[in-house]
Amino acid sequence: MSAIPSVDLQDFLSGDDNRKQKFINEISSAFEDIGFVALSGHFLSEELVENLYAEIKKFFELPQNVKDSYEIEGIGGQRGYTSFGKEHAKGRKEGDLKEFWHFGQYVEDNPKLEEEYHKNVIVSELPAFNEVGKETYKMLEKTAKYVLRALALHLNLEETYFDAYIKNGNSILRPIHYPPITAEPKNAERAAAHGDINLITLLMGAHGRGLQVKNHNDEWVDAIARPDQLMINVGDMLSRHTNNRLKSTIHKVVNPPKESWGKSRYSIPFFMHPISEMPLNCLENCIDEKNPKQFEDTTAGEFLHERLIELGLIKE
């Protein structure tokens, strides 16, 4: 496969059994083949998207000393600001050419998780920033819930199998700014080749060239969505849980051609994480003689901690 398939979430939500099954077939086929799909019919309004981009641009244009005041030491970048070049891909030393912000979960009716998660950081200079971020977080979380329901049915699980694991899950909304490139990068890319840690990722901002996906022939394929679409991919947690039946695909954000170095790039991934206690043990119905169990038993919390160390965000 060379192109990224497109699906419409409204097929799944239509109440028409044939359209619902069509969506399940299309998205599961895409995730088993290349691990990426472009999705329309989500819960983000055009107005909300415009407001979010306006707010994050305002934030990244703040003076560096103001942004730095929102970088919280000792929490592995889980909330607030992470400065330029601090994160690197697994197995690499060069920092990625990006800075970013993290919005985290807004816990409901669970004091234990309220205590476990770090609090969201309030940007006092931008009154609408946190409000718009929260609304976007909620709409992407809602979209992700229905995508996972479709995948649960494909895996012969109860439709709501994932619901209890993702309610109050440790999900992250990450507005990213790739600043203009001012000098020839030495081995560094805007985002080096990597797989995502989580269950699924919903990406806003894949509307121009830059994001590339590695297909099964080891070819890099441009992943470009329409302005009304989200790019969605399988993360390592879901790949592990399904014994690699659903593929976590390696992807990267390449540096632009030199004539475009002066332009910023913005993208906004939503990393759908479950609660820490979710077992990531390979599902029994994804194991057979042709597909023996590939991964050791672990939990989402243990797996996340291990990966944050590998990314350089938590020091051992």
Side-chain angles (χ1 to χ4, degrees), residues 31-50:
F31 282 164
E32 288 186 0
D33 192 350
I34 198 167
F36 269 73
V37 72
L39 178 131
S40 58
H42 49 75
F43 295 101
L44 291 176
S45 69
E46 196 175 327
E47 181 184 15
L48 180 58
V49 172
E50 287 176 2

Side-chain angles (χ1 to χ4, degrees), residues 59-72:
F59 174 79
F60 288 118
E61 287 168 359
L62 289 171
Q64 189 62 47
N65 66 316
V66 176
K67 291 188 289 186
D68 288 343
S69 72
Y70 292 111
E71 187 157 18
I72 314 300

Side-chain angles (χ1 to χ4, degrees), residues 24-282:
I24 294 167
N25 294 345
E26 288 174 346
I27 197 166
S28 56
S29 175
F31 282 164
E32 288 186 0
D33 192 350
I34 198 167
F36 269 73
V37 72
L39 178 131
S40 58
H42 49 75
F43 295 101
L44 291 176
S45 69
E46 196 175 327
E47 181 184 15
L48 180 58
V49 172
E50 287 176 2
N51 289 344
L52 180 66
Y53 274 106
E55 289 301 314
I56 67 167
K57 285 176 181 176
K58 285 179 199 170
F59 174 79
F60 288 118
E61 287 168 359
L62 289 171
Q64 189 62 47
N65 66 316
V66 176
K67 291 188 289 186
D68 288 343
S69 72
Y70 292 111
E71 187 157 18
I72 314 300
E73 288 299 319
I75 65 169
Q78 290 292 288
R79 300 290 185 274
Y81 177 64
T82 296
S83 52
F84 183 82
K86 185 161 282 190
E87 185 181 69
H88 59 76
K90 178 180 174 181
R92 290 186 62 131
K93 293 179 180 176
E94 298 85 11
D96 288 343
L97 305 177
K98 67 189 181 193
E99 57 180 346
F100 54 88
W101 180 270
H102 274 166
F103 296 101
Q105 183 60 266
Y106 302 87
V107 178
E108 297 172 357
D109 306 322
N110 193 321
K112 177 179 173 290
L113 285 179
E114 274 194 75
E115 191 68 28
E116 179 183 326
Y117 295 158
H118 299 289
K119 288 184 168 48
N120 276 299
V121 179
I122 305 300
V123 178
S124 57
E125 289 84 358
L126 302 172
F129 179 84
N130 291 86
E131 183 184 333
V132 171
K134 180 177 181 179
E135 180 66 13
T136 306
Y137 186 105
K138 291 293 186 185
M139 292 301 101
L140 287 168
E141 187 175 48
K142 185 177 179 181
T143 301
K145 177 175 76 172
Y146 288 105
V147 170
L148 287 173
R149 284 186 177 183
L151 296 177
L153 290 170
H154 170 65
L155 295 166
N156 296 315
L157 303 168
E158 288 288 329
E159 181 172 344
T160 56
Y161 169 81
F162 289 102
D163 283 21
Y165 293 127
I166 61 174
K167 180 176 169 55
N168 288 325
N170 196 17
S171 300
I172 291 286
L173 177 63
R174 174 190 278 193
I176 302 171
H177 175 222
Y178 302 101
I181 296 171
T182 55
E184 186 75 46
K186 293 182 180 176
N187 300 320
E189 294 183 278
R190 282 187 157 173
H194 65 284
D196 291 340
I197 302 170
N198 42 293
L199 291 172
I200 57 174
T201 301
L202 287 70
L203 176 67
M204 304 166 61
H207 308 147
R209 289 187 181 276
L211 177 64
Q212 293 188 340
V213 177
K214 198 175 200 179
N215 68 16
H216 297 336
N217 297 321
D218 283 342
E219 301 164 330
W220 287 104
V221 178
D222 285 326
I224 303 174
R226 299 194 313 257
D228 66 321
Q229 290 178 319
L230 301 171
M231 195 67 76
I232 304 185
N233 64 279
V234 173
D236 291 346
M237 287 185 183
L238 187 58
S239 181
R240 191 182 188 101
H241 197 39
T242 63
N243 200 34
N244 211 29
R245 182 172 165 185
L246 301 177
K247 309 290 187 199
S248 176
T249 305
I250 299 297
H251 53 285
K252 63 183 178 179
V253 179
V254 297
N255 298 333
K258 198 161 188 176
E259 60 269 20
S260 300
W261 277 10
K263 295 178 183 174
S264 285
R265 177 187 173 96
Y266 296 90
S267 65
I268 311 169
F270 177 77
F271 300 114
M272 168 59 87
H273 280 266
I275 55 174
S276 297
E277 292 81 7
M278 180 182 178
L280 295 183
N281 310 349
C282 298

Side-chain angles (χ1 to χ4, degrees), residues 243 286-293:
N243 200 34
C286 294
I287 302 170
D288 55 33
E289 285 186 13
K290 287 185 178 177
N291 302 286
K293 183 177 176 181

